[in-house]
Amino acid sequence: DQQVKQNSPSLSVQEGRISILNCDYTNSMFDYFLWYKKYPAEGPTFLISISSIKDKNEDGRFTVFLNKSAKHLSLHIVPSQPGDSAVYFCAARGAGSYQLTFGKGTKLSVIP
Amino acid sequence: DTAVSQTPKYLVTQMGNDKSIKCEQNLGHDTMYWYKQDSKKFLKIMFSYNNKELIINETVPNRFSPKSPDKAHLNLHINSLELGDSAVYFCASSQGGLAGDRSYNEQFFGPGTRLTVL
């Protein structure tokens, strides 16, 4: 049973436009959410995160939005750059747990 | 100056063999993890150690045995390898603790070890 779902396996965006990656979760005990970026043949690298007490967190071109009532979060990248082309994983952590639960990932392709 | 390193990067072996994957972190973190990324691309937690103590032990075959000789190392030993064990295995580390803060929640990943069982 997938507790973290990324329903879009891939997304293509023109350079300079906005990329929006979506993530849904089912476990209401999740209290911290993270986005990781992964290039081929490398490990995932941390991108941005948000605590469940917030609804938005911004870091440069990256913004994460959390809608707790809908159990939905999204990652906005603006403007998108070709170097952003990678697989993006959404992850969630439950209160009192060390464990991260990952989604299946969305492959973003930014077209020059 | 690698933060989390794994060896080997690639491992090709025959069914039935025993193999080990090593992981080291130089971040001074208290907690280390092993993840498996299978052919469906899911990243699933297998084990976690905090200060050399096992804290997460998901449902994996007991052919898999983690060993943490010290806080900076978490090795994964696999006995009697099977075809289904073929995957990419990632080691990760974090500062540990359960605070709702990025520094405690962010996990740093190694480059992965691609295991192929023939």
Side-chain angles (χ1 to χ4, degrees):
Chain A
D1 180 32
Q2 288 179 249
Q3 297 187 62
V4 178
K5 298 179 185 179
Q6 294 177 256
N7 292 319
S8 299
S10 63
L11 175 68
S12 288
V13 172
Q14 286 288 127
E15 180 179 3
R17 307 295 289 268
I18 184 170
S19 296
I20 300 176
L21 296 99
N22 294 304
C23 177
D24 297 293
Y25 61 96
T26 58
N27 189 339
S28 57
M29 296 300 292
F30 288 147
D31 70 346
Y32 202 84
F33 304 89
L34 306 90
W35 284 95
Y36 279 82
K37 177 178 177 179
K38 184 182 180 305
Y39 293 117
E42 294 184 12
T45 55
F46 173 81
L47 190 59
I48 193 169
S49 62
I50 188 167
S51 165
S52 61
I53 62 172
K54 297 184 177 179
D55 54 21
K56 177 182 174 182
N57 187 27
E58 193 171 352
D59 183 1
R61 297 186 296 114
F62 304 91
T63 304
V64 56
F65 295 92
L66 175 62
N67 181 335
K68 278 202 308 185
S69 60
K71 293 192 176 69
H72 177 83
L73 63 157
S74 60
L75 173 68
H76 292 211
I77 306 172
V78 56
S80 300
Q81 299 173 355
D84 297 329
S85 297
V87 177
Y88 289 79
F89 289 96
C90 172
R93 197 209 68 175
S97 170
Y98 286 89
Q99 182 171 330
L100 290 183
T101 302
F102 282 82
K104 202 172 175 179
T106 296
K107 183 177 182 179
L108 173 66
S109 300
V110 180
I111 304 161
Chain B
D1 189 20
T2 307
V4 181
S5 59
Q6 294 179 230
T7 53
K9 190 163 176 66
Y10 299 96
L11 185 52
V12 181
T13 187
Q14 299 285 333
M15 278 177 57
N17 284 349
D18 303 339
K19 290 292 178 185
S20 292
I21 307 172
K22 295 185 176 181
C23 178
E24 177 181 2
Q25 54 96 2
N26 62 7
L27 298 165
H29 287 164
D30 292 329
T31 309
M32 296 184 71
Y33 310 81
W34 276 110
Y35 286 86
K36 178 181 180 181
Q37 186 179 33
D38 58 23
S39 57
K40 294 182 180 177
K41 304 302 182 185
F42 277 109
L43 265 168
K44 291 185 180 176
I45 185 74
M46 300 174 68
F47 302 102
S48 178
Y49 272 73
N50 180 259
N51 279 318
K52 295 169 54 181
E53 181 182 342
L54 184 66
I55 56 169
I56 297 174
N57 186 358
E58 289 298 292
T59 308
V60 299
N62 57 16
R63 299 180 294 103
F64 290 78
S65 54
K67 286 189 172 46
S68 182
D70 56 58
K71 214 169 70 161
H73 295 85
L74 180 62
N75 303 323
L76 183 65
H77 189 75
I78 315 170
N79 288 328
S80 304
L81 278 156
E82 300 177 358
L83 293 176
D85 298 333
S86 295
V88 181
Y89 292 85
F90 289 99
C91 176
S93 72
S94 70
Q95 190 169 334
L98 298 171
D101 179 85
R102 170 189 162 177
S103 62
Y104 287 96
N105 288 281
E106 181 183 347
Q107 293 182 14
F108 291 78
F109 283 79
T113 296
R114 181 174 291 277
L115 171 64
T116 303
V117 182
L118 303 175

